[in-house]
Amino acid sequence: MKTAEIAQRFLDFFEKKNHTIVPSASLVTDDPALLFTVAGMVPFIPYLSGVVPPPYPRAADVQKCIRTNDIEEVGKTPRHGTFFQMLGNWSFGDYFKEDAIRFAWELLTAPEADGGLAFDPKDLWVTVYEEDDEAHELWRTLTPLPEERIQRLGKDTNYWSTGLPGPAGPCSEIFFDRGPAYGVDGGPATDDDRYVEIWNLVFMQYEITNVRSKYDFDIVGELPAKNIDTGMGLERIAFIKQGVDNMYETDQVRPVLDLAASLAGKAYGAESHEDDVRLRIVADHVRSSLMLLADGVTPSNEGRGYILRRIMRRAIRSMRLLGVEGATFPDLFAASRDAMKESYPEVEADYARLSAYAIAEEQTFLRTLAAGSAILDQSVVEAKNGGGTTLSGSEAFLLHDTYGFPIDLTLEIAEEAGLTVDRGAFDQLMLEQRTRAKADARARKGAIADQSAYREFRALGETVFTGYTELQTESTVLGILVQGQGTDRASEGQIAEIITAETALYAESGGQVADKGLIVGPGYELEVLDVQRPVPGLISHTVEVTTGEVSMGAPATTVVDALNRHSAQQAHTATHLVHAAIRDTLGKTATQTGSLNRAGYMRFDFSWGSALSPETRTEIEDIANNAVRDNLEVTTRVMSLDEAKAAGAMALFGEKYGDTVRMVDIGGPWSRELCGGTHVARSSEIGLVNLVGEQSVGASNRRVEALVGLDAFRDLAAERAIVSQLSTSLKTPREQLTTRISELAASLKAAEKKIAAFEAQALTGRLPQLVESAVAVGTVRVVAQSLGEGASADDVRSLALQVRDRLGIDPAVVALATVSAGRATVVVVTNDAARERGLAAGALAKGAAGVLGGGGGGRPDVAQGGGTDAAALPQALDGIVADVRAATA
């Protein structure tokens, strides 16, 4: 029985038990405490906790889940997977223990011909909470299970709570006995892999308080509305029904495993245990990555993107350990797509986008592995030869910072070699490095060469940066690279990297973007597109050859765009002022976590846990502009790091400092920071700081944005023009504009309410005509009409319910449609007699929505669908009539 068929049988069964079928929520949850949907209950938490009234009394779903807390167990056990699907049936104050147990037993043991899963009762065991006499008695009386196969267990296994005050209750778990070949006898109480938990029934019946631990709390009393929360692992049911040993061998996962084995020239199950584990890791992680990409997650260095990147890179490394050096994702992801598309058609429809991310990530990481693995392997050899058991934190940091080698991968490789990593030292070094900015810079470099290409140029010495005092510097071309490869010349129209001995052009760092400018020499001119430091001490210019041809050894003059540089200096110095103003206003704990400075614009990220009030923003802006007005001197001193720290200079987030540093003072100690950027000579040169935005950029981090100098003035001038236009149009003095606009908004809202009331009244007036339009389709009366344009979905739903009520107790289906802003909406309602004949509103609405090029669904009695093809509305309504006719034939 295929996995998709098992899922459909589950949904069909519970739909017949009057459950609303709910589509899977996204893997990306709205819960701020979670990165992903980690369990089937997550989307229902608001209903289970009573925070939000449930829209239906009972529901069933197949929920996509991602869980990575036990990622190290993937491939080693039969049931651990990062992506899994949870079958769930839910009751919100409707049925309770008796029906939950009856439903579960019926579905599991009913014959396949009757829609069941046909488990043999002799293979099933049940556990209940040791004090739950009611559940024990129900299992004993509702099922043929003998007493010895109903085991009582404690709170640690058979009691559910969140670990917080709120709902809780006992649970009952159903296990499948795989037989004596898989372990010892004795049932689930033995905690042996022989007994696979397939279904957990949670009886949410108590309210708890004074929670001391997940299993130590006080019960206040029973909940006013008792809930049922169940979860049955789809992958676990699949591997049992398909007669295989684990979830990796099921029909949705095995194709990727087999392809990985073929690419590696391995025989799964016939060679080493380590190879089998690696193949299972690949199969699981490729599928998990595909599903995360389908739900909008993309690889990155933080949050959900980091988890995805880690999963993908574990798959790549596992293929490397299996002996495959080249790219495999184009094949593996296609195989996973084909295995999953029956259950999730979106992975096929959106595959071009999904595969592009996957393939790009693999290409990037293969380059990272090639550069970092050789260094790490050498470090491992040296450590072991020297009798050591630990890799230094500085070595791990070098791999991470210079080569982008993930720390978790370093930890895994070290562990495989019998070594540990000095993680404490690594973490300390990470505090001195802004890894996020490093990653972004690498991503923007495009054609920047592999670092090995710079070795010979760096061996000639450091590039001398003269831009602190000069805007033009004469030098010599030391190196030329085109598409990452060294060459002796670059011709007109080509994009190249140019290395010179000296440069006046500032390389992007410390939040300040690279200079704009030119490189000129005899017979050629180069437009500078970017300036970076690809390796420490070396500056590389990405250029377009606009005139002539540049060759190795040619004279070269670097020329800075003076106006752009000055505007960038204004922004960078303004950033220091804003930082000082924030610390003056909020306190010393508000420290910088990031910044960006470019001509006319600055943004500043800082540690703070709440939004700034308008008054606080104004105060920060005033302090910064007062510093501009005071014409403070900006001085720069070069000194040792110890001297700078002794002077009170701030070592900022993301900067990497050597023994010698530049300390920038503005107004003496008022603003004193270590900074390698360029600045104006006095604060008055900034002109104006205009804070234009403030927002959250993550947990406990805020961001302010400002326009600086002429850009700030232009923005204020634009606002002044808007205010003037409003004042003229509304014939209202400027100081009274806010009051006048509020009055107009209130008047407009009142008018909209009146219009809506008139429209609703007009729709209600059509009630008799709609009732008279009912036609007999077999024994069912059907109304299928379009109401034209403009009606709201709520009004259409209300009218459809009124029409249904007027049609009486005989079987009736009402489908009313409207069009708004080019989108068609269809509302379908059915009465009890129609539903008894198998006519569910949700199915009818879904079918109509498909004709309209959209989606839909809902409860059996009321449902809604729609789409963008409004012209197909007549066909959609005709389709509902045809579906009724077919169902009643």
PDB file of all heavy atoms in Angstrom, residues 796-808:
ATOM      1  N   VAL A 796     -22.510  36.738   0.301  1.00  0.00           N
ATOM      2  CA  VAL A 796     -22.922  35.597  -0.527  1.00  0.00           C
ATOM      3  C   VAL A 796     -23.190  34.384   0.354  1.00  0.00           C
ATOM      4  O   VAL A 796     -24.175  33.652   0.173  1.00  0.00           O
ATOM      5  CB  VAL A 796     -21.856  35.288  -1.595  1.00  0.00           C
ATOM      6  CG1 VAL A 796     -22.210  34.014  -2.346  1.00  0.00           C
ATOM      7  CG2 VAL A 796     -21.716  36.450  -2.565  1.00  0.00           C
ATOM      8  N   ARG A 797     -22.309  34.161   1.338  1.00  0.00           N
ATOM      9  CA  ARG A 797     -22.495  33.020   2.242  1.00  0.00           C
ATOM     10  C   ARG A 797     -23.804  33.168   3.021  1.00  0.00           C
ATOM     11  O   ARG A 797     -24.575  32.209   3.160  1.00  0.00           O
ATOM     12  CB  ARG A 797     -21.313  32.920   3.206  1.00  0.00           C
ATOM     13  CG  ARG A 797     -21.371  31.684   4.110  1.00  0.00           C
ATOM     14  CD  ARG A 797     -20.199  31.638   5.082  1.00  0.00           C
ATOM     15  NE  ARG A 797     -18.925  31.613   4.376  1.00  0.00           N
ATOM     16  CZ  ARG A 797     -18.083  32.656   4.305  1.00  0.00           C
ATOM     17  NH1 ARG A 797     -18.392  33.788   4.918  1.00  0.00           N
ATOM     18  NH2 ARG A 797     -16.954  32.559   3.653  1.00  0.00           N
ATOM     19  N   SER A 798     -24.055  34.379   3.525  1.00  0.00           N
ATOM     20  CA  SER A 798     -25.294  34.604   4.286  1.00  0.00           C
ATOM     21  C   SER A 798     -26.527  34.347   3.426  1.00  0.00           C
ATOM     22  O   SER A 798     -27.489  33.702   3.867  1.00  0.00           O
ATOM     23  CB  SER A 798     -25.298  36.042   4.820  1.00  0.00           C
ATOM     24  OG  SER A 798     -26.517  36.325   5.470  1.00  0.00           O
ATOM     25  N   LEU A 799     -26.510  34.824   2.190  1.00  0.00           N
ATOM     26  CA  LEU A 799     -27.640  34.633   1.293  1.00  0.00           C
ATOM     27  C   LEU A 799     -27.834  33.160   0.941  1.00  0.00           C
ATOM     28  O   LEU A 799     -28.956  32.650   0.897  1.00  0.00           O
ATOM     29  CB  LEU A 799     -27.453  35.469   0.031  1.00  0.00           C
ATOM     30  CG  LEU A 799     -28.600  35.457  -0.990  1.00  0.00           C
ATOM     31  CD1 LEU A 799     -29.893  35.962  -0.346  1.00  0.00           C
ATOM     32  CD2 LEU A 799     -28.227  36.322  -2.201  1.00  0.00           C
ATOM     33  N   ALA A 800     -26.708  32.446   0.709  1.00  0.00           N
ATOM     34  CA  ALA A 800     -26.798  31.023   0.378  1.00  0.00           C
ATOM     35  C   ALA A 800     -27.442  30.234   1.514  1.00  0.00           C
ATOM     36  O   ALA A 800     -28.259  29.330   1.288  1.00  0.00           O
ATOM     37  CB  ALA A 800     -25.404  30.477   0.060  1.00  0.00           C
ATOM     38  N   LEU A 801     -27.095  30.574   2.756  1.00  0.00           N
ATOM     39  CA  LEU A 801     -27.692  29.887   3.904  1.00  0.00           C
ATOM     40  C   LEU A 801     -29.190  30.172   3.994  1.00  0.00           C
ATOM     41  O   LEU A 801     -29.991  29.289   4.328  1.00  0.00           O
ATOM     42  CB  LEU A 801     -26.980  30.322   5.187  1.00  0.00           C
ATOM     43  CG  LEU A 801     -25.534  29.833   5.341  1.00  0.00           C
ATOM     44  CD1 LEU A 801     -24.857  30.521   6.521  1.00  0.00           C
ATOM     45  CD2 LEU A 801     -25.492  28.319   5.522  1.00  0.00           C
ATOM     46  N   GLN A 802     -29.578  31.418   3.685  1.00  0.00           N
ATOM     47  CA  GLN A 802     -31.013  31.753   3.706  1.00  0.00           C
ATOM     48  C   GLN A 802     -31.770  30.980   2.630  1.00  0.00           C
ATOM     49  O   GLN A 802     -32.886  30.485   2.871  1.00  0.00           O
ATOM     50  CB  GLN A 802     -31.198  33.254   3.503  1.00  0.00           C
ATOM     51  CG  GLN A 802     -30.664  34.113   4.658  1.00  0.00           C
ATOM     52  CD  GLN A 802     -30.828  35.601   4.371  1.00  0.00           C
ATOM     53  OE1 GLN A 802     -31.951  36.093   4.243  1.00  0.00           O
ATOM     54  NE2 GLN A 802     -29.708  36.295   4.269  1.00  0.00           N
ATOM     55  N   VAL A 803     -31.191  30.881   1.447  1.00  0.00           N
ATOM     56  CA  VAL A 803     -31.835  30.124   0.369  1.00  0.00           C
ATOM     57  C   VAL A 803     -31.992  28.668   0.777  1.00  0.00           C
ATOM     58  O   VAL A 803     -33.059  28.053   0.583  1.00  0.00           O
ATOM     59  CB  VAL A 803     -31.026  30.251  -0.942  1.00  0.00           C
ATOM     60  CG1 VAL A 803     -31.614  29.333  -2.017  1.00  0.00           C
ATOM     61  CG2 VAL A 803     -31.008  31.697  -1.425  1.00  0.00           C
ATOM     62  N   ARG A 804     -30.925  28.093   1.353  1.00  0.00           N
ATOM     63  CA  ARG A 804     -30.997  26.688   1.794  1.00  0.00           C
ATOM     64  C   ARG A 804     -32.127  26.485   2.792  1.00  0.00           C
ATOM     65  O   ARG A 804     -32.891  25.519   2.714  1.00  0.00           O
ATOM     66  CB  ARG A 804     -29.666  26.281   2.424  1.00  0.00           C
ATOM     67  CG  ARG A 804     -29.627  24.815   2.876  1.00  0.00           C
ATOM     68  CD  ARG A 804     -28.393  24.502   3.700  1.00  0.00           C
ATOM     69  NE  ARG A 804     -28.404  25.226   4.975  1.00  0.00           N
ATOM     70  CZ  ARG A 804     -27.432  25.137   5.887  1.00  0.00           C
ATOM     71  NH1 ARG A 804     -26.368  24.374   5.638  1.00  0.00           N
ATOM     72  NH2 ARG A 804     -27.499  25.813   7.011  1.00  0.00           N
ATOM     73  N   ASP A 805     -32.249  27.409   3.757  1.00  0.00           N
ATOM     74  CA  ASP A 805     -33.289  27.272   4.775  1.00  0.00           C
ATOM     75  C   ASP A 805     -34.687  27.361   4.154  1.00  0.00           C
ATOM     76  O   ASP A 805     -35.617  26.675   4.604  1.00  0.00           O
ATOM     77  CB  ASP A 805     -33.117  28.348   5.837  1.00  0.00           C
ATOM     78  CG  ASP A 805     -31.837  28.150   6.650  1.00  0.00           C
ATOM     79  OD1 ASP A 805     -31.275  27.036   6.603  1.00  0.00           O
ATOM     80  OD2 ASP A 805     -31.396  29.115   7.312  1.00  0.00           O
ATOM     81  N   ARG A 806     -34.857  28.205   3.117  1.00  0.00           N
ATOM     82  CA  ARG A 806     -36.170  28.357   2.466  1.00  0.00           C
ATOM     83  C   ARG A 806     -36.557  27.100   1.667  1.00  0.00           C
ATOM     84  O   ARG A 806     -37.746  26.878   1.396  1.00  0.00           O
ATOM     85  CB  ARG A 806     -36.145  29.556   1.519  1.00  0.00           C
ATOM     86  CG  ARG A 806     -36.083  30.903   2.214  1.00  0.00           C
ATOM     87  CD  ARG A 806     -37.421  31.309   2.824  1.00  0.00           C
ATOM     88  NE  ARG A 806     -37.401  32.673   3.317  1.00  0.00           N
ATOM     89  CZ  ARG A 806     -37.785  33.734   2.617  1.00  0.00           C
ATOM     90  NH1 ARG A 806     -38.256  33.570   1.391  1.00  0.00           N
ATOM     91  NH2 ARG A 806     -37.709  34.941   3.141  1.00  0.00           N
ATOM     92  N   LEU A 807     -35.558  26.307   1.270  1.00  0.00           N
ATOM     93  CA  LEU A 807     -35.841  25.129   0.444  1.00  0.00           C
ATOM     94  C   LEU A 807     -36.376  23.957   1.258  1.00  0.00           C
ATOM     95  O   LEU A 807     -36.782  22.932   0.689  1.00  0.00           O
ATOM     96  CB  LEU A 807     -34.573  24.701  -0.306  1.00  0.00           C
ATOM     97  CG  LEU A 807     -34.108  25.673  -1.404  1.00  0.00           C
ATOM     98  CD1 LEU A 807     -32.774  25.214  -1.994  1.00  0.00           C
ATOM     99  CD2 LEU A 807     -35.146  25.813  -2.506  1.00  0.00           C
ATOM    100  N   GLY A 808     -36.343  24.078   2.587  1.00  0.00           N
ATOM    101  CA  GLY A 808     -36.966  23.053   3.415  1.00  0.00           C
ATOM    102  C   GLY A 808     -36.054  21.877   3.718  1.00  0.00           C
ATOM    103  O   GLY A 808     -34.826  21.952   3.587  1.00  0.00           O
TER     104      GLY A 808
END
